[in-house]
Amino acid sequence: HQDEVQKGSKVTLLQVGQITTSNISVDSTPAAGDVAYIAGTGNFTATPTDDADTADENNMYQVGRFLSSKDANGFCKIAVNIA
């Protein structure tokens, strides 16, 4: 599915693939190759959530890898793999 989706709309659940998004935590500065996590806000971040204090818990929040850093408009490419 390569459709642009407005916030609040229904979406297909992506398990494996690539996305380009601006839903990156404001305090996160990801670089290409960094692990992508889901923050408590539902945004992507390059750091695990505060309650992920062991390696096993860190893997629980990992959803893929950043393929780029933020561009001038705040967008990043992310390779998602939660299959």
Side-chain angles (χ1 to χ4, degrees):
H1 298 282
Q2 295 183 346
D3 298 326
E4 180 177 316
V5 178
Q6 300 300 315
K7 288 186 179 184
S9 299
K10 293 180 181 179
V11 297
T12 302
L13 178 61
L14 175 71
Q15 293 180 326
V16 177
Q18 292 183 12
I19 61 169
T20 301
T21 184
S22 63
N23 287 358
I24 311 296
S25 293
V26 292
D27 59 346
S28 182
T29 54
D34 286 351
V35 175
Y37 298 94
I38 291 293
T41 60
N43 290 336
F44 292 95
T45 181
T47 54
T49 56
D50 290 339
D51 63 344
D53 56 6
T54 67
D56 290 338
E57 289 175 334
N58 287 346
N59 291 334
M60 203 166 89
Y61 301 105
Q62 183 177 339
V63 294
R65 291 210 173 266
F66 285 94
L67 298 176
S68 70
S69 57
K70 288 183 187 177
D71 66 13
N73 296 317
F75 284 82
C76 282
K77 289 185 179 183
I78 301 172
V80 175
N81 187 355
I82 58 173

